[in-house]
């Protein structure tokens, strides 16, 4: 005997309505991500100044050690975050003003290598792909959890690569701590 089929079915208008809600929320999330990424970059680069020659040489050495074929542009900016890489097509290394002066040469090398490893791995591109993934699947909590887990794993992978390159966990750790202290001091 055949199983009875439920007589209830959702109304026909529900599917286009749900599709519209999905599209609007997904587009809003992607637009928010893009505006933040472009806005932060525009503001930071408008007030940036090139690093001095000594730091530029350290960036070139870090880029070579990280396996980059070209040395990324590096600038100093006034901002209350740690160092970072900004951009996808032509990444720019961003250093908070005054950070490098507070680090030892080994700490500076480790921090710069970390940012160059991000550039080498194209992590900003993959971050955009991750944002697209979460934007499309915004309704699924696993997409949000996976997006966050991928961000954490990206940082771990860069940390591991820095340790492979430098072999100096102590200076890398003290450089991270000094960078955080510098950031917290800038936030006051």
């Amino acid at each position: 005997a055949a199983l009875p089929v439920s007589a209830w079915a959702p109304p026909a208008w529900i599917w286009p309505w749900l599709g519209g809600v999905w599209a609007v929320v997904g587009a809003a999330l992607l637009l928010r991500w893009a505006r933040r990424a472009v806005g932060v970059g525009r503001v930071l680069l408008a007030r940036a100044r090139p690093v001095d020659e000594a730091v530029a040489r350290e960036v070139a050495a870090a880029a070579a050690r990280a396996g980059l074929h070209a040395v990324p542009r590096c600038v100093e900016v006034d901002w209350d975050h740690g160092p970072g890489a900004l951009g996808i097509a032509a990444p720019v290394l961003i250093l908070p003003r005054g950070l490098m002066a507070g680090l030892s040469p080994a700490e500076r090398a480790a921090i710069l290598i970390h940012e160059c490893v991000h550039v080498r791995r194209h992590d900003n591109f993959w971050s955009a792909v991750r944002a697209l993934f979460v934007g499309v699947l915004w309704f699924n909590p696993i997409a949000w959890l996976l997006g966050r887990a991928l961000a954490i794993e990206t940082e771990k992978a860069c940390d591991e690569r820095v340790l492979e390159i430098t072999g100096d966990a102590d200076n890398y750790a003290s450089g991270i701590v000094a960078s955080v202290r510098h950031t917290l001091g800038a936030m006051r």
Side-chain angles (χ1 to χ4, degrees):
L3 294 174
V5 177
S6 172
W8 186 86
W13 58 265
I14 196 79
W15 302 116
W17 185 84
L18 287 175
V21 169
W22 169 80
V24 168
V25 173
L29 288 170
L30 292 172
L31 182 62
R32 185 185 109 210
W33 178 85
R35 285 184 63 202
R36 281 181 31 198
V38 171
V40 166
R42 201 173 277 151
V43 168
L44 287 177
L45 293 178
R47 296 183 280 155
R49 70 169 193 212
V51 296
D52 62 40
E53 276 301 311
V55 174
R57 283 191 300 274
E58 290 180 274
V59 170
R65 290 178 75 186
L68 288 174
H69 301 295
V71 178
R73 188 174 127 204
C74 185
V75 296
E76 282 187 323
V77 295
D78 290 320
W79 77 324
D80 58 355
H81 294 287
L86 181 67
I88 294 174
V92 177
L93 299 187
I94 304 291
L95 300 176
R97 192 156 299 160
L99 172 66
M100 299 306 275
L103 300 175
S104 73
E107 291 169 341
R108 286 194 304 267
I111 296 297
L112 291 172
I113 289 169
H114 177 93
E115 297 311 325
C116 288
V117 167
H118 277 298
V119 173
R120 171 95 164 98
R121 291 169 33 91
H122 306 285
D123 285 338
N124 288 351
F125 170 77
W126 293 112
S127 177
V129 170
R130 187 174 64 242
L132 180 63
F133 169 77
V134 172
V136 169
L137 298 174
W138 61 266
F139 55 88
N140 188 336
I142 293 174
W144 291 90
L145 294 172
L146 184 58
R148 182 67 186 136
L150 287 172
I152 291 168
E153 291 303 317
T154 296
E155 286 303 319
K156 285 182 185 178
C158 284
D159 292 339
E160 289 171 4
R161 184 69 184 123
V162 169
L163 294 176
E164 288 173 5
I165 293 169
T166 66
D168 189 355
D170 292 337
N171 277 310
Y172 184 43
S174 63
I176 291 171
V177 170
S179 178
V180 170
R181 284 186 177 148
H182 181 273
T183 299
L184 292 174
M187 293 173 70
R188 289 186 185 148

